[in-house]
Amino acid sequence: MRVRAFRSRWTVFAAVAMTGALAMSGCGGDDGGGSKNDKSEVEVFSWWTGPGEADGLQAMQADFEKRNPGTKFVNAAIAGGSGTQAKAVLASRLQNRKPPDSFQGHAGAELLDYIKAGQIEPLDDFYQQNNLKSVYPKQLLDQITYKGHIYSVPVNIHRSNVLWYNPDILKDAGVAGPPTSIPEFITALKAVKDKTKKVPLSLGAQWTADHLLENVLLGSLGTDAYNALWQPGADWGTPAVAKALNEFGEIMKYTTLEAASTDWQGAAKAVVDDKAAFNIMGDWAYGYFVGAAPNGLGKKLDTDFKFAAAPGTEGTYMWLSDSFTLPKGAPHRAGAEAWLKEVSSKEGQDLFNPKKGSIPARKDADKSLYTGYLQTAFEEWNNPQTKLAGSFWHGVNANNKWHTDIDTAIGLFLQNRDVAKLQQGLVSAAKNSGQ
Ligand code: GAL
């Protein structure tokens, strides 16, 4: 049953998002040339430094060190939510042929960039030796497979379209419950602004506006039309996109950008600190909210905060998956393989994901570990009725160029607040993506 459930949901997404990408041509995998047997160390590159996400990484690191006592774990994480700084540093390291032993990359279009640039190695032997093909949903494997070779090891599934809210502030504003459509959302934001002294919608660093954009596009256009935007030749100049962008512009009027320096954590924290009514953020925020102090906030679901699907996106899982790679020329290749083994293991995933606020990529995880919000995530992910959309900001639908060009258009919009120019920017970004 479960297999069928995955199949039916993934089909919807796979049909629209990755088939084009997988059919493209590029280079296959020749040998890396790193030191094959060096297991003395492993340098793991990610952007998990902040409260919440760093705890998940630490839990997996501790298990790795227990199992690999002779291997020094070097945590090369670079701060900046969603990899904003890390990806730039990684690009220059890869270009200068100074790769880490393993780096974090999102399943989907983002991974394809590294594959086509010949920067990572295929992991077919690794999958075979560790019997991994059967433990992941086939359709997730499709997102990390290129020309018949598998290129990364997924550790989780995250959900991007979550609305976190403060029930007390909603009550003070006379808002009966979480808004279920974009127009309702705008009405609720206005009510919070008019009736309370709180921030209606908290935002953090610039990328959190990109994250908001994908949510507003999904909520306004609907799942099929959102997914179609990432198809080759898709038209971003339509009245429907203009409407969604006008709604985005309206919503942006109710946000604060002061929290830029505190990234996504500052914006999410504002909700549980009774300072903001709403925040739209991926479910890594959940790990941060309920995680134990001092890193986590030690907050309680339903008392300190509540969650719902982002307005207009009920029934759709806007997904993304963190995965780890084997770069060509990894200096400690055997160390890297030991790390990938940890990442792929049931134990590793069950240690990592409850802290990270994600559900495991493997099909055989211990369900009882996923409580509160994560129980809902688990159920919705496994519900055959749930539709799928790929997160563009977190690597599924857009390659790195498209991603950067959208961010540039958003950066300009934050200066000029001109919706028509934003749409022009997005039309060009789609045309020039080369995807
Ligand atoms: C995403 C990543 C998540 C989380 C988030 C915020 O791109 O997939 O694991 O780290 O950024 O930093």
Side-chain angles (χ1 to χ4, degrees):
M1 280 302 282
R2 182 170 292 177
V3 172
R4 181 169 301 155
F6 271 112
R7 183 171 302 132
S8 62
R9 292 176 307 105
W10 278 96
T11 309
V12 176
F13 172 71
V16 295
M18 282 304 287
T19 40
L22 297 182
M24 282 188 242
S25 67
C27 47
D30 38 89
D31 207 332
S35 174
K36 290 235 184 269
N37 300 318
D38 194 345
K39 209 188 157 190
S40 61
E41 186 177 313
V42 61
E43 189 196 12
V44 174
F45 188 97
S46 76
W47 54 84
W48 296 333
T49 60
E53 42 200 21
D55 298 306
L57 180 60
Q58 258 160 34
M60 210 158 37
Q61 175 184 343
D63 192 50
F64 173 83
E65 286 169 339
K66 212 168 67 197
R67 289 167 199 274
N68 300 278
T71 308
K72 185 174 162 212
F73 184 95
V74 179
N75 185 347
I78 295 201
S82 83
T84 40
Q85 329 308 337
K87 281 196 196 169
V89 174
L90 179 65
S92 99
R93 286 189 63 172
L94 294 177
Q95 209 153 22
N96 295 322
R97 298 186 195 280
K98 296 226 172 330
D101 294 310
S102 184
F103 66 83
Q104 173 193 353
H106 288 123
E110 181 183 308
L111 195 74
L112 210 64
D113 276 347
Y114 301 121
I115 301 171
K116 291 202 284 178
Q119 292 166 328
I120 55 177
E121 289 200 37
L123 293 167
D124 307 300
D125 293 348
F126 176 83
Y127 267 74
Q128 196 155 14
Q129 280 151 21
N130 296 290
N131 240 327
L132 288 177
K133 271 201 165 169
S134 57
V135 306
Y136 287 108
K138 163 151 186 335
Q139 293 82 353
L140 177 58
L141 290 178
D142 288 347
Q143 305 291 321
I144 56 170
T145 298
Y146 182 64
K147 293 181 126 191
H149 300 288
I150 301 185
Y151 280 89
S152 74
V153 179
V155 66
N156 66 2
I157 300 287
H158 265 307
R159 186 172 193 171
S160 144
N161 60 323
V162 189
L163 178 74
W164 308 100
Y165 65 96
N166 181 308
D168 294 337
I169 300 181
L170 262 60
K171 208 165 153 214
D172 291 348
V175 175
T180 59
S181 67
I182 299 282
E184 263 185 37
F185 189 31
I186 293 170
T187 306
L189 292 170
K190 186 169 188 316
V192 174
K193 183 171 180 235
D194 292 349
K195 298 195 190 130
T196 75
K197 292 197 161 31
K198 312 290 176 162
V199 172
L201 177 65
S202 55
L203 270 194
Q206 180 173 312
W207 74 266
T208 65
D210 295 279
H211 186 103
L212 179 63
L213 175 69
E214 72 180 18
N215 275 276
V216 175
L217 287 172
L218 180 66
S220 179
L221 296 170
T223 310
D224 295 345
Y226 169 86
N227 281 335
L229 283 180
W230 310 97
Q231 288 283 58
D235 186 2
W236 283 67
T238 61
V241 173
K243 175 171 171 278
L245 296 179
N246 274 305
E247 289 167 335
F248 175 72
E250 190 60 26
I251 290 168
M252 285 294 296
K253 292 183 185 156
Y254 297 98
T255 63
T256 44
L257 278 172
E258 293 97 82
S261 60
T262 57
D263 214 291
W264 66 265
Q265 284 95 345
K269 187 168 183 289
V271 170
V272 295
D273 282 352
D274 294 328
K275 292 187 176 141
F278 298 104
N279 178 233
I280 290 184
M281 188 39 61
D283 48 11
W284 41 90
Y286 183 71
Y288 177 41
F289 289 155
V290 302
N295 290 344
L297 297 175
K299 297 290 181 181
K300 295 241 168 323
L301 175 62
D302 289 337
T303 315
D304 300 313
F305 70 97
K306 287 186 150 198
F307 70 89
T313 73
E314 181 70 44
T316 294
Y317 212 103
M318 183 137 66
W319 73 279
L320 59 126
S321 172
D322 294 308
S323 71
F324 281 88
T325 58
L326 177 61
K328 282 195 180 165
H332 310 92
R333 191 192 163 104
E337 286 185 355
W339 169 247
L340 295 177
K341 201 163 171 179
E342 176 68 32
V343 167
S344 70
S345 69
K346 176 164 150 42
E347 295 75 17
Q349 295 198 5
D350 277 340
L351 285 165
F352 173 79
N353 286 302
K355 289 201 157 44
K356 183 69 165 69
S358 40
I359 54 173
R362 287 180 67 114
K363 295 184 283 183
D364 57 354
D366 180 353
K367 208 178 157 195
S368 70
L369 298 171
Y370 299 87
T371 56
Y373 160 80
L374 289 176
Q375 187 182 344
T376 309
F378 216 104
E379 280 161 10
E380 295 198 5
W381 179 250
N382 285 293
N383 178 349
Q385 307 301 325
T386 301
K387 286 185 156 193
L388 290 180
S391 160
F392 95 76
W393 185 251
H394 304 280
V396 181
N397 283 356
N399 61 19
N400 281 325
K401 176 166 174 26
W402 200 349
H403 180 268
T404 304
D405 287 354
I406 294 178
D407 188 45
T408 303
I410 285 289
L412 289 172
F413 176 76
L414 294 178
Q415 306 294 320
N416 61 25
R417 304 284 165 150
D418 184 328
V419 172
K421 285 206 175 111
L422 174 61
Q423 187 164 18
Q424 280 162 21
L426 296 177
V427 167
S428 322
K431 276 201 186 121
N432 300 330
S433 71
Q435 195 171 292

